Amino acid sequence: MTFKSKNPFKMQAKTLLQEHIAKTASLTQEEFDYFFSHFKSLTFKKGQTIISEGDKVDCEYFVISGCLKAFFINDEIKMYILQFAMPTWWTSDYNALYNQTPAQINVDCITDAEVLCLSSADREKLCAEFHQIEHFFRWRTNKGYIASQKRLLSFMNNNVKTRYEELLALYPQLYNLVPKHLIASYLGVSRETLSRLHNS
């Protein structure tokens, strides 16, 4: 899908991405316009799948509106949620994207969603052409690694109540946006345990 000249989504998406990038990288308007031209806009309905296990993955997604989830289903058909992706967040199966292996992670839509899609080839081209863009993606990767490490340490060191309180402190909008059984899955607890935590 390509952008039309006066598409309201284009303007909203461009502004949101530009503000997001500007926190880390300094681009001229011309440079940003060129950067933005490599993205494709996509819209999805609630429940729609973006990446399925086994897929070839060649894009990552910047969320403009709505909420996505990245998750893994094990051999016992138990779901483990790795990430909720809200506006200004990025998501994909990064192992599949970077190593060109079949996807192990699924990504779908908790709500209706609008995203910008950037191909791996275009990301690499842009990083080679602009140091500031390469700097942004390196910063974003590092930030993601740190967040994953903190979550892992929390799982190893903290009880369920503490992990729940941490989650709501960081992302208070989640409890009203995301179904409770998905929050329970993210925390690794039952829906009933989550209800007790919320009411305690």
Side-chain angles (χ1 to χ4, degrees), residues 83-96:
Q83 179 196 27
F84 295 116
M86 296 175 287
T88 73
W89 290 26
W90 298 77
T91 193
S92 188
D93 181 329
Y94 285 101
N95 181 53

Side-chain angles (χ1 to χ4, degrees), residues 50-59 61 92-93 96-97 99-105 120:
I50 299 175
I51 298 173
S52 294
E53 184 177 352
D55 284 354
K56 178 181 179 182
V57 179
D58 59 6
C59 287
Y61 302 90
S92 188
D93 181 329
L97 182 67
N99 293 321
Q100 294 299 293
T101 57
Q104 293 180 295
I105 304 303
S120 179

Side-chain angles (χ1 to χ4, degrees), residues 5-122:
S5 58
K6 294 186 178 180
N7 185 337
F9 172 52
K10 174 185 177 181
M11 299 308 298
Q12 176 195 8
K14 188 172 185 178
T15 298
L16 198 64
L17 181 61
Q18 189 163 22
E19 291 173 350
H20 178 67
I21 295 289
K23 294 176 182 178
T24 308
S26 178
L27 299 175
T28 67
Q29 188 61 50
E30 182 179 5
E31 289 170 339
F32 178 78
D33 289 345
Y34 176 72
F35 174 67
F36 185 69
S37 72
H38 291 77
F39 286 80
K40 294 181 180 179
S41 64
L42 298 171
T43 59
F44 297 97
K45 294 295 185 182
K46 177 180 178 179
Q48 193 169 351
T49 298
I50 299 175
I51 298 173
S52 294
E53 184 177 352
D55 284 354
K56 178 181 179 182
V57 179
D58 59 6
C59 287
E60 56 188 318
Y61 302 90
F62 178 74
V63 181
I64 300 300
S65 67
C67 185
L68 315 180
K69 73 177 187 291
F71 62 100
F72 170 74
I73 297 178
N74 69 7
D75 292 340
E76 286 75 42
I77 319 298
K78 183 175 180 179
M79 178 171 64
Y80 294 88
I81 295 180
L82 306 179
Q83 179 196 27
F84 295 116
M86 296 175 287
T88 73
W89 290 26
W90 298 77
T91 193
S92 188
D93 181 329
Y94 285 101
N95 181 53
L97 182 67
Y98 293 142
N99 293 321
Q100 294 299 293
T101 57
Q104 293 180 295
I105 304 303
N106 303 274
V107 178
D108 69 13
C109 301
I110 297 173
T111 66
D112 291 351
E114 298 173 318
V115 304
L116 293 175
C117 172
L118 180 66
S119 74
S120 179
D122 280 341

Side-chain angles (χ1 to χ4, degrees), residues 147-165:
S148 295
Q149 187 178 63
K150 285 182 176 178
R151 185 182 176 200
L152 180 60
L153 289 172
S154 181
F155 262 86
M156 291 189 293
N157 292 315
N158 296 327
N159 60 31
V160 174
K161 187 174 189 298
T162 300
R163 297 204 309 269
Y164 172 72
E165 291 170 347

Side-chain angles (χ1 to χ4, degrees), residues 105-195:
I105 304 303
N106 303 274
V107 178
D108 69 13
C109 301
I110 297 173
T111 66
D112 291 351
E114 298 173 318
V115 304
L116 293 175
C117 172
L118 180 66
S119 74
S120 179
D122 280 341
R123 185 195 65 244
E124 293 303 314
K125 179 174 79 74
L126 288 163
C127 287
E129 291 174 343
F130 295 98
H131 169 71
Q132 284 293 310
I133 292 174
E134 190 275 336
H135 169 70
F136 165 76
F137 280 109
R138 185 174 70 250
W139 168 85
R140 198 206 68 200
T141 300
N142 290 345
K143 185 178 178 183
Y145 174 78
I146 291 167
S148 295
Q149 187 178 63
K150 285 182 176 178
R151 185 182 176 200
L152 180 60
L153 289 172
S154 181
F155 262 86
M156 291 189 293
N157 292 315
N158 296 327
N159 60 31
V160 174
K161 187 174 189 298
T162 300
R163 297 204 309 269
Y164 172 72
E165 291 170 347
E166 286 178 345
L167 181 65
L168 289 191
L170 284 171
Y171 314 114
Q173 67 274 42
L174 271 182
Y175 202 85
N176 293 322
L177 181 65
V178 175
K180 306 308 176 284
H181 72 279
L182 296 181
I183 295 178
S185 178
Y186 182 86
L187 292 170
V189 300
S190 68
R191 174 70 173 80
E192 293 73 23
T193 297
L194 180 67
S195 295

